[in-house]
Amino acid sequence: MNATMVPYAQKMSENALRLNAICPYYTMFPIDFPLEQLAAKPDTTRVLDPFCGRGTTLYAARLLGIPSVGIDINPVAVAITQAKLTQVTPQAVIRLARQILRTEEHDNVPTGEFWQWCYERETLREIVTLRTRLMSLATPTAAMLRAVILGILHGPQNKGLPSYLSNQMPRTYASKPAYAVKFWKTRNMTPVRIPTLDVITRRVNRLLEASPIASGGRVHLGDSVEKLGELQQKFDLVVTSPPYYGMRTYVADQWLRSWFIGGPSEVAYGTNGQIARQPNKDSFIQALADVWSATARRCKPNARLAIRFGAIPSARTDPEEMISETIARSEAAWEIKDIRPAGISPKRARQAEQFGRAGSAIDEVDIVAELTGRRSRTLGAQEVLDIRT
Ligand SMILES: C[S@@+](CC[C@H](N)C(=O)[O-])C[C@H]1O[C@@H](n2cnc3c(N)ncnc32)[C@H](O)[C@@H]1O
């Protein structure tokens, strides 16, 4: 996108976009990216994102009244996306929260220094009550309440009314316990009582005040290749962002949110089927090529595949070459039409900024391919330049 153009999201009502911000996710892309792709393919009838993360693509489709399907292997991503596809009233969500909190079921309150410092005692009991009950509820209202709590579980303390339930912490990712405890102790920051229902009520009213009509989205938990094989629908637009090369902390960074939806009460370092955890570059490229092959089998002729991709600086890899190699290696007739550096959205955070704490900006590219019947070859650096110009 040209820097002088008005981003698509700025043309939409701020209120309609609020639900998209229900909960951050470590490498989310700005909603302008899927909105631009939807504008470039106006005949789109169904959209797919095989690495849907927090469901940005699916929410963009909802804004335009288009059905969508998402897949992600991380249960936190699926819980957030689920809420973005749901149509419920704020009153129903607040009523459910109030009912659950009245029951005071709070077995398995986690113990240990981290928990004592992260949440005030009564606040923690309320969170555990909500966690216990929500784990056995599968209604749309419960899906919305679950994602709302994921979004307020940790974050910075502010001067006015509290917005988050935890002691001081980043909002995007959960700090590791030893680091967090040291941080709070050295600053003598004991956790204060935060009334859970008040924070939920404020957040729900704000998020759902003007949410758009739901347009028939579905999200599946699991490996993309496996889940794509089970789908029945056909797609004409795919907008996605696979795990960035070298980025290996998708699961560990969300450990507190993972706990809330039923995971262990300590940091989980497992691989959990994450493509980013492939042992080497070659198997990473092959794993993505397999996803593009499986994606093509679910696409109509002339379908458009738009990918935002990056590699962390320490991986010393050219993301353009790498992503074009994944397309060339797929057993599908994707023809690369465009490759360019990812555009900068002035208002919303780019994925790159999520890596700010690593100290250096990440190199991100957008690549567009079409299912034309002609297969792409691996592109050399000069050919990449030729496509761009
Ligand atoms: C870059 S993030 C996607 C972010 C998304 N565009 C957003 O706006 O939130 C990549 C996602 O791929 C998921 N993932 C990794 N390996 C996967 C696999 N084998 N199958 C499905 N999803 C996978 C990760 O859990 C992560 O959520």
Side-chain angles (χ1 to χ4, degrees), residues 13 71 123 130 143 241 246 381:
S13 127
I71 303 168
T123 306
L130 288 158
S241 178

PDB file of all heavy atoms in Angstrom, residues 13 71 123 130 143 241 246 381:
ATOM      1  N   SER A  13     -15.833   2.507  11.167  1.00  0.00           N
ATOM      2  CA  SER A  13     -16.100   3.106  12.468  1.00  0.00           C
ATOM      3  C   SER A  13     -15.185   2.487  13.524  1.00  0.00           C
ATOM      4  O   SER A  13     -14.994   1.281  13.565  1.00  0.00           O
ATOM      5  CB  SER A  13     -17.579   2.885  12.807  1.00  0.00           C
ATOM      6  OG  SER A  13     -17.713   2.305  14.045  1.00  0.00           O
ATOM      7  N   ILE A  71      -7.814 -21.619  11.186  1.00  0.00           N
ATOM      8  CA  ILE A  71      -7.217 -22.790  11.838  1.00  0.00           C
ATOM      9  C   ILE A  71      -6.017 -22.286  12.643  1.00  0.00           C
ATOM     10  O   ILE A  71      -5.255 -21.442  12.157  1.00  0.00           O
ATOM     11  CB  ILE A  71      -6.710 -23.822  10.799  1.00  0.00           C
ATOM     12  CG1 ILE A  71      -7.836 -24.263   9.867  1.00  0.00           C
ATOM     13  CG2 ILE A  71      -6.082 -25.034  11.500  1.00  0.00           C
ATOM     14  CD1 ILE A  71      -7.352 -25.062   8.646  1.00  0.00           C
ATOM     15  N   THR A 123      -9.001 -11.473  44.318  1.00  0.00           N
ATOM     16  CA  THR A 123      -9.049 -11.377  42.849  1.00  0.00           C
ATOM     17  C   THR A 123      -8.693 -12.732  42.239  1.00  0.00           C
ATOM     18  O   THR A 123      -9.361 -13.204  41.319  1.00  0.00           O
ATOM     19  CB  THR A 123      -8.069 -10.279  42.346  1.00  0.00           C
ATOM     20  OG1 THR A 123      -8.364  -9.071  43.029  1.00  0.00           O
ATOM     21  CG2 THR A 123      -8.181 -10.059  40.849  1.00  0.00           C
ATOM     22  N   LEU A 130     -14.045 -18.283  37.807  1.00  0.00           N
ATOM     23  CA  LEU A 130     -14.432 -18.094  36.395  1.00  0.00           C
ATOM     24  C   LEU A 130     -13.773 -19.162  35.529  1.00  0.00           C
ATOM     25  O   LEU A 130     -14.401 -19.763  34.653  1.00  0.00           O
ATOM     26  CB  LEU A 130     -14.024 -16.695  35.927  1.00  0.00           C
ATOM     27  CG  LEU A 130     -14.870 -15.552  36.511  1.00  0.00           C
ATOM     28  CD1 LEU A 130     -14.118 -14.222  36.463  1.00  0.00           C
ATOM     29  CD2 LEU A 130     -16.197 -15.433  35.762  1.00  0.00           C
ATOM     30  N   ALA A 143     -17.958 -18.282  25.338  1.00  0.00           N
ATOM     31  CA  ALA A 143     -16.788 -18.034  24.473  1.00  0.00           C
ATOM     32  C   ALA A 143     -16.390 -16.568  24.557  1.00  0.00           C
ATOM     33  O   ALA A 143     -15.202 -16.225  24.631  1.00  0.00           O
ATOM     34  CB  ALA A 143     -17.099 -18.426  23.032  1.00  0.00           C
ATOM     35  N   SER A 241      -0.607 -15.381   7.876  1.00  0.00           N
ATOM     36  CA  SER A 241       0.735 -15.045   8.312  1.00  0.00           C
ATOM     37  C   SER A 241       1.264 -16.250   9.087  1.00  0.00           C
ATOM     38  O   SER A 241       0.848 -16.488  10.218  1.00  0.00           O
ATOM     39  CB  SER A 241       0.631 -13.805   9.204  1.00  0.00           C
ATOM     40  OG  SER A 241       1.870 -13.458   9.689  1.00  0.00           O
ATOM     41  N   GLY A 246      12.403 -18.353  13.041  1.00  0.00           N
ATOM     42  CA  GLY A 246      13.246 -18.058  14.197  1.00  0.00           C
ATOM     43  C   GLY A 246      12.451 -17.669  15.435  1.00  0.00           C
ATOM     44  O   GLY A 246      12.988 -17.557  16.527  1.00  0.00           O
ATOM     45  N   ALA A 381      17.336 -13.503  -6.341  1.00  0.00           N
ATOM     46  CA  ALA A 381      17.182 -12.128  -5.849  1.00  0.00           C
ATOM     47  C   ALA A 381      16.762 -11.179  -6.969  1.00  0.00           C
ATOM     48  O   ALA A 381      15.895 -10.323  -6.801  1.00  0.00           O
ATOM     49  CB  ALA A 381      18.486 -11.667  -5.224  1.00  0.00           C
TER      50      ALA A 381
END
